[in-house]
Amino acid sequence: MIFQELNKLKRNTIMSSIILIVFGILMVLCPENYVRTMIELIGAVLLVFSMIGILEYLSSNKSLIRYIYLTGWLIVGIVGFMILIFEIDSLYTVGVLFGAFLILSGLSNILNAFVYAKRSGRKGWWVLVLLGLALIACGVLVFINPWWDSYSKLFKVIGVMILFSSFVSILRLIWIWPIKSE
């Protein structure tokens, strides 16, 4: 049972990294004329993911972690709705969303480095801590945002940071996963 859950976690990490890589490449290569359309697409995708998360909650057992996930999915749905309805500063909303994503990803990376990689005696576990700190710095950089003069520049910067985040996620999976026992 636990090995099935671990394999599911591994698959989810790999698939989310692949999706983020594709999404980051699309953001970097998006022409300036289509930035608004991509932002609206992000809002629609967030709404769809929110609905999937809510439906998953309805079909699951009602444990505490499921309520936390439901709260997260409701927040994602509200952000997607705000992006679709309030078009005025929607890139600001996307920037805040991805900045928060990068900061949370960095914190998760640091936690995983100390909890799993260091305790298992992996060499170079401190590299995961440095990569986590780099992700947090990228998230703060998106919050501070010196690129507000152009939507296209900010969109490309967010895309590059998403590519970096997915690269760090793949490295974390390789470093932490017990490959030797497989």
Side-chain angles (χ1 to χ4, degrees), residues 19 24 32 41 49 69 107 111 113 149:
I19 289 170
E32 190 170 346
L41 182 65
F49 280 153
Y69 288 159
L107 290 174
L111 180 73
D149 60 341

Side-chain angles (χ1 to χ4, degrees), residues 70-181:
L70 175 66
T71 305
W73 287 121
L74 288 173
I75 291 170
V76 167
I78 290 169
V79 169
F81 186 73
M82 285 175 40
I83 289 172
L84 287 176
I85 299 301
F86 306 113
E87 296 180 15
I88 297 170
D89 282 331
S90 57
L91 189 61
Y92 175 74
T93 306
V94 171
V96 168
L97 177 72
F98 285 121
F101 170 75
L102 289 171
I103 290 172
L104 290 175
S105 180
L107 290 174
S108 170
N109 201 24
I110 292 171
L111 180 73
N112 285 329
F114 282 113
V115 170
Y116 299 116
K118 183 179 179 183
R119 287 186 183 175
S120 68
R122 301 274 178 158
K123 295 180 181 175
W125 62 269
W126 52 270
V127 174
L128 287 175
V129 174
L130 292 178
L131 290 172
L133 290 174
L135 281 176
I136 292 172
C138 288
V140 170
L141 191 63
V142 169
F143 277 134
I144 294 173
N145 223 342
W147 299 284
W148 282 122
D149 60 341
S150 169
Y151 277 1
S152 179
K153 287 180 187 176
L154 177 64
F155 206 66
K156 290 182 188 324
V157 166
I158 291 172
V160 169
M161 290 184 184
I162 287 174
L163 286 172
F164 177 67
S165 170
S166 58
F167 173 70
V168 170
S169 177
I170 290 171
L171 283 178
R172 182 183 64 215
L173 180 71
I174 291 171
W175 231 300
I176 291 176
W177 197 259
I179 296 173
K180 296 175 184 176
S181 65

